[in-house]
Structures are given as C-alpha cells and as structure tokens.
Amino acid sequence: MIIRNFEYLLALNKERHFARAAAACRVSQPTLSAGIKQLEEDMDALIVKRGQRFEGFTREGERVLAWAQQMLEDCMRLKQELHELRDDAMRGPFRLGMLAATSALASVLSVAFAEKFPALQISMETGDPERLLRMVRQGEMDVALMYLDEPVSEGLDGYALYRERLFLVTTGDAGDGRRVSWEEVSTLPLCLLRSAVPRTAETQLKKAPKVIHTDSAAVMAAYVGTGRWSTVLPQSLVTMLAKTPALRAIAIAKPGEQVNVGFVTVKSDPSPAAAHALMEMAHTPELVDAIRAMLETYKDYQPKGSRRVRAPKQQS
C-alpha cells in the first residue's frame, strides 16, 4: 500500500489539485486523501499543507516527495527485471566475448546458460582485451570474460569470479621440477597463445630467445609437441595440450603467478537482465563445482618430482 500512496502523492504534486490527482489515479478523492493521510501517519510527519484547497507541501513533504519518486522508479525497474528474468522472457540476441585464456570458462558457462534460456540467441567471439572492452563499451557485446588484473576503464564494471595460476607447459628436456621462476621460463623458446598470457606476464618473457604468437591451439600444440618449445598457460587451459606426450605443467613462482578472471559489462544500474542472469548462474553450486573441476585438471600433468626446471640447450 505504501507504493500506491506514493503514487497518490506524486499525482498530487503533478496536478496541484486533489480532485484532478484522484482522477489521474482513477480513484475517488476521499480514497486519495485517505492514502496520503495514511502516508503521513506512517512517516510520522505532516506532508501536505491543508486548507480550502491544495496549498503545497511542507518541508518534510518535499523530502518525502523526492524519496517517493526514487522508490517508485526503483520499484518499476525491479518489476521489469523480474519480468525479464522469467525463462519465457529471456529471448533475443546475447553476445558473449572471451579471451583465448577464458575459453574454457566460456564453454562451461555458455552450455549451462543456453540450456537454461533456450530462447536466447547466443553468439560468442574471441578477441584481444582492447577489442573486447571496446565492444562492451559500444554496446556490441553484452559480457566479456577476461583477466581483470588491469583497471577496467570508465563506463564499465568488472566482477571477479576466481583466481588461477599460470603454468609453464612443456615436454622433453625441460625437466620435472614442480616450480619454475620467470627468469627460467624466459630462457626457453616459447609458442604463446595470443591473449592467454596477461600483459604483466608478457613483460617477464621479453628475454626469451624466441617467441612465436599464434591464435591457434593446434599450432601451439604442434610446437610444444616437438619437445623444443614450451608455452605459458593458465591452469584451466592445460588440457588443450592433453594429447601431447610427456606433457608437464610446472607452476610459475611469484610474483605475477596468478591472474583474476571475471566478467566485464557496461556500467548499468540495474545490470541488463541476461548479463545479470549469467553472472548469477556462475555462482550456483552446480556451476561452482564445474568451474572448480575445470581448474583442477592441470593436476594430471603436474610433475611428481621436486627438482627445479632446467632450461634446454638452445637449438642452433
């Protein structure tokens, strides 16, 4: 009832006349007057100056009026969001962007999201950080799954989901140590999946004798499979090289050994319904378990020994 009484109050402010305000609300004048009187009792304050006709609002009434406007707008947005969150109302295009580094997460989330909201027309696109941020800002993409270690630019919001480690992924003569420093990684020839390594990590690898960048996981796998090249991947992507013989995933030591992964959306209050639904789904028990399993698959490739990694001899 308090929301309805707020509507009476706003109508009175607009019409500046009790009878016209009542007509605008499609109620009788006594009903409107009783509603405002009830509001005054609830607020324990005189809201309307009373006389033979409407004479305006008291000082307290002006404050109640401002709050009434805000609360009604919030209520209308809430009703709209609740309507859009219904399964039968979640329809239309939904554009999801990702880095190569977050493709495993995108696979887990998008499958569950598509099954829950079959009327949505989901499309997915991979890009570099600058392109994804630009598309989200310009309204060409609804959500981007990204590293969040760099500040999110103005007009956008970032929502962290989890942290994951970076690993040296290698074969052959690279050794079987369980931990390796950035300095040791930078002595190896590397084939890096573009955007799979955050910028902070890439600066650590500038001294590598040879670095090849590729957009293709198959190309990266071919290089690593020779035993002469290595790569750096987040733990969720180690299984991209699962068919490579003698594969080892060796944890990289501090600093910069972990990255934050999460969502980037356009700044909006409230968030668009579909984007909000995706982010909420990521925190359900079923999806939390699936993400945790995705993050733990690297353990199948972790060396059992304790020796430090040795850099292979550079190829002539």
Side-chain angles (χ1 to χ4, degrees):
M1 284 299 297
I2 194 169
I3 296 297
R4 186 59 172 159
N5 292 341
F6 279 156
E7 291 177 343
Y8 295 160
L9 192 65
L10 292 171
L12 182 59
N13 178 57
K14 180 180 179 180
E15 301 294 339
R16 317 299 289 184
H17 190 278
F18 281 99
R20 290 198 298 271
C25 294
R26 299 183 180 180
V27 296
S28 65
Q29 184 173 332
T31 297
L32 182 135
S33 297
I36 294 176
K37 183 67 175 176
Q38 182 63 53
L39 192 58
E40 290 178 321
E41 292 178 4
D42 292 339
M43 298 295 162
D44 192 23
L46 185 65
I47 295 175
V48 178
K49 296 177 182 178
R50 284 179 169 77
Q52 293 293 330
R53 62 186 67 185
F54 175 71
E55 297 180 0
F57 296 96
T58 64
R59 179 180 171 184
E60 293 87 349
E62 293 290 347
R63 293 297 299 157
V64 173
L65 190 65
W67 277 87
Q69 182 66 48
Q70 182 62 52
M71 291 180 69
L72 271 180
E73 291 175 359
D74 290 344
C75 185
M76 293 301 294
R77 286 199 296 269
L78 176 59
K79 289 173 66 176
Q80 178 65 24
E81 182 175 346
L82 292 175
H83 173 72
E84 291 176 351
L85 282 174
R86 296 173 190 159
D87 291 1
D88 60 353
M90 294 284 283
R91 60 183 68 251
F94 182 78
R95 300 151 300 181
L96 178 63
M98 72 196 87
L99 300 177
T102 58
S103 57
L105 170 64
S107 299
V108 171
L109 289 182
S110 63
V111 169
F113 196 55
E115 290 177 350
K116 183 172 178 62
F117 302 108
L120 280 176
Q121 301 163 15
I122 300 174
S123 60
M124 289 174 282
E125 188 168 340
T126 304
D128 58 54
E130 291 79 9
R131 184 166 183 270
L132 295 182
L133 292 175
R134 183 177 66 253
M135 292 183 72
V136 172
R137 189 182 301 107
Q138 294 176 352
E140 299 171 358
M141 186 171 288
D142 297 289
V143 177
L145 299 173
M146 301 180 60
Y147 290 144
L148 300 179
D149 294 84
E150 298 180 17
V152 175
S153 58
E154 185 176 354
L156 302 177
D157 276 330
Y159 303 89
L161 183 56
Y162 61 81
R163 288 174 65 82
E164 62 177 319
R165 291 188 65 98
L166 296 173
F167 282 79
L168 171 67
V169 185
T170 189
T171 63
D173 295 335
D176 59 356
R178 294 182 62 84
R179 190 157 303 213
V180 62
S181 69
W182 284 111
E183 289 76 13
E184 290 169 304
V185 175
S186 66
T187 66
L188 304 171
L190 299 171
C191 181
L192 301 177
L193 190 62
R194 191 169 281 112
S195 297
V197 178
R199 287 177 179 167
T200 52
E202 284 190 347
T203 60
Q204 305 269 15
L205 303 176
K206 289 183 177 179
K207 295 180 181 179
K210 183 96 173 174
V211 177
I212 293 177
H213 291 88
T214 179
D215 292 321
S216 169
V219 169
M220 179 184 63
Y223 273 84
V224 175
T226 66
R228 298 187 297 273
W229 296 78
S230 302
T231 191
V232 176
L233 289 174
Q235 65 192 77
S236 59
L237 292 188
V238 172
T239 54
M240 294 178 75
L241 301 174
K243 295 182 179 180
T244 304
L247 189 70
R248 294 189 179 98
I250 305 171
I252 298 176
K254 296 180 180 179
E257 86 290 2
Q258 292 188 332
V259 288
N260 291 299
V261 178
F263 306 98
V264 173
T265 66
V266 68
K267 190 183 291 291
S268 175
D269 186 20
S271 300
H276 178 78
L278 177 67
M279 292 188 287
E280 286 292 303
M281 176 178 286
H283 292 91
T284 60
E286 296 80 8
L287 266 295
V288 168
D289 288 344
I291 293 172
R292 184 177 291 117
M294 173 194 74
L295 293 174
E296 291 181 351
T297 53
Y298 78 93
K299 293 180 179 179
D300 294 338
Y301 309 97
Q302 216 173 9
K304 307 304 180 185
S306 58
R307 290 184 290 126
R308 304 277 296 177
V309 64
R310 297 187 303 273
K313 295 180 180 179
Q314 293 189 27
Q315 304 297 313
S316 56

